[in-house]
């Protein structure tokens, strides 16, 4: 992860959230509008969700890059994307976070999105342009959120094993502190079967999912100003070194840099409730 070069000035950014969140299970949304379009150069932190970023700007917008691949404008950021960098003009955008289960229900197996940044049109397929035009033409954020509920809701029809969905929910709710063997026993599957089905449908192993959820919890504690030692203990790491290794694995940097990540600074405002299903 690169050090932040030019973070957003959050005092100049209007943040909108749905009046009635939770209308789609496992889906949350937030709208961002910079009062005066400004250039930003930021690194993004891994999150336990698949993120759709719809660029609503009338200017050049943002370019997202990971693993040498870049996408301009609207894009999907999959699970475990590695070092994701975003640079360009921050004007107006809509972000939609989908839990791995919701992403699999909407777009089939999440495996193809894991570790990548992909173009909006490539993942969404037919109707992507029309959907984006409707969002751009909407008169308010409330109307945009309603459009997402309507259009995305029609896509949530792919099947995900109830056992896989239960395992994800339990992993997230426990902040990644439950063992895979115990979760397999809960759903009545062998460890091997749970591992295979979870990975094929959500694009990540149960163990890696637990590590990602635990990292996300630790990252938010760091951003809140908690000491590294306290964060390591509360998040279930063996010691500070263990936390450092996990942060390096997920973010490519140190806990201190993660603590200052610009997007984490406004998470409590933009994402007051987090999808768990």
């Amino acid at each position: 992860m690169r050090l932040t070069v030019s973070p957003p000035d959050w005092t100049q950014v209007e943040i909108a959230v749905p009046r009635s969140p939770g209308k789609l299970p496992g889906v949350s949304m937030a709208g961002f509008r910079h009062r005066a379009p400004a250039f930003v150069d930021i690194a993004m932190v891994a999150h336990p969700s698949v993120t759709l970023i719809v660029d609503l700007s009338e200017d050049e917008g943002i370019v997202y890059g990971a693993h040498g691949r870049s996408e301009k404008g609207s894009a999907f950021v999959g699970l475990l994307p590695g070092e994701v960098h975003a640079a360009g003009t921050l004007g107006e955008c809509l972000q939609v976070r989908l839990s791995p289960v919701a992403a699999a229900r909407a777009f089939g197996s999440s495996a193809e999105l894991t570790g990548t940044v992909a173009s909006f049109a490539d993942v969404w397929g037919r109707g992507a342009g029309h959907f984006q035009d409707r969002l751009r033409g909407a008169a308010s954020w409330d109307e945009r959120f309603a459009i997402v509920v309507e259009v995305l809701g029609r896509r949530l029809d792919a099947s995900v094993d109830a056992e896989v969905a239960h395992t994800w929910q339990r992993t997230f709710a426990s902040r990644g502190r439950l063992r895979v063997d115990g979760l397999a026993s809960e759903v009545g599957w062998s460890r091997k079967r749970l591992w295979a089905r979870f990975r094929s449908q959500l694009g990540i192993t149960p163990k890696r999912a637990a590590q990602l959820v635990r990292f996300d919890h630790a990252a938010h504690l760091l951003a809140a100003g908690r000491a590294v030692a306290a964060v390591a203990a509360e998040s279930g790491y063996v010691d500070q070194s263990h936390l450092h290794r996990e942060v390096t694995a997920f973010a490519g940097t140190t806990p201190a840099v993660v603590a200052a990540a610009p997007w984490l600074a406004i998470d409590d405002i933009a994402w007051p409730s987090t999808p768990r299903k």
Side-chain angles (χ1 to χ4, degrees):
M1 177 183 290
R2 289 177 45 171
L3 294 176
T4 299
V5 176
S6 181
D9 178 359
W10 293 116
T11 65
Q12 296 299 311
V13 178
E14 299 172 2
I15 302 173
V17 296
R19 297 176 188 271
S20 301
K23 289 188 175 181
L24 296 177
V27 178
S28 57
M29 297 175 279
F32 303 88
R33 178 186 292 118
H34 206 288
R35 293 186 178 91
F39 181 83
V40 297
D41 187 1
I42 58 177
M44 301 174 67
V45 176
H47 184 270
S49 67
V50 173
T51 302
L52 164 60
I53 304 172
V54 183
D55 188 352
L56 303 171
S57 304
E58 295 181 357
D59 44 41
E60 296 182 354
I62 301 289
V63 175
Y64 303 90
H67 304 293
R69 177 177 178 176
S70 63
E71 293 294 341
K72 184 177 181 179
S74 301
F76 276 89
V77 180
L79 293 172
L80 308 179
E83 300 178 29
V84 180
H85 187 251
T89 303
L90 177 63
E92 193 169 31
C93 72
L94 171 67
Q95 285 195 33
V96 182
R97 286 182 175 178
L98 300 96
S99 74
V101 173
R105 291 183 61 206
F107 306 106
S109 171
S110 298
E112 294 183 2
L113 286 172
T114 299
T116 65
V117 174
S119 76
F120 170 55
D122 286 349
V123 176
W124 191 274
R126 185 177 179 180
H130 179 63
F131 177 41
Q132 191 162 250
D133 288 343
R134 285 187 64 189
L135 291 173
R136 283 203 173 103
S140 67
W141 283 114
D142 285 341
E143 185 178 345
R144 284 169 174 163
F145 296 143
I147 291 171
V148 173
V149 170
E150 171 203 339
V151 178
L152 183 59
R154 292 198 297 265
R155 297 192 63 126
L156 295 172
D157 56 2
S159 176
V160 175
D161 291 336
E163 294 84 354
V164 169
H166 175 83
T167 299
W168 167 257
Q169 185 176 8
R170 291 279 284 140
T171 297
F172 192 93
S174 69
R175 295 172 177 166
R177 302 185 72 166
L178 295 179
R179 296 180 62 84
V180 177
D181 289 345
L183 291 170
S185 296
E186 283 187 20
V187 300
W189 280 359
S190 67
R191 186 180 190 279
K192 182 178 180 180
R193 177 172 174 76
L194 176 60
W195 194 281
R197 296 294 291 173
F198 194 98
R199 183 173 187 173
S200 67
Q201 293 183 13
L202 304 191
I204 187 173
T205 67
K207 180 178 180 180
R208 197 63 169 155
Q211 291 172 334
L212 176 58
V213 170
R214 183 173 58 187
F215 163 79
D216 178 66
H217 177 61
H220 282 84
L221 291 178
L222 291 168
R226 298 287 297 277
V228 175
V231 171
E234 184 173 336
S235 303
Y237 293 99
V238 174
D239 52 27
Q240 291 186 58
S241 295
H242 187 195
L243 172 60
H244 273 266
R245 290 195 299 272
E246 290 281 282
V247 169
T248 300
F250 282 109
T253 188
T254 65
V257 174
V258 168
W263 292 110
L264 290 178
I266 48 86
D267 250 29
D268 289 343
I269 300 172
W271 313 104
S273 60
T274 305
R276 296 193 177 191
K277 296 182 180 180

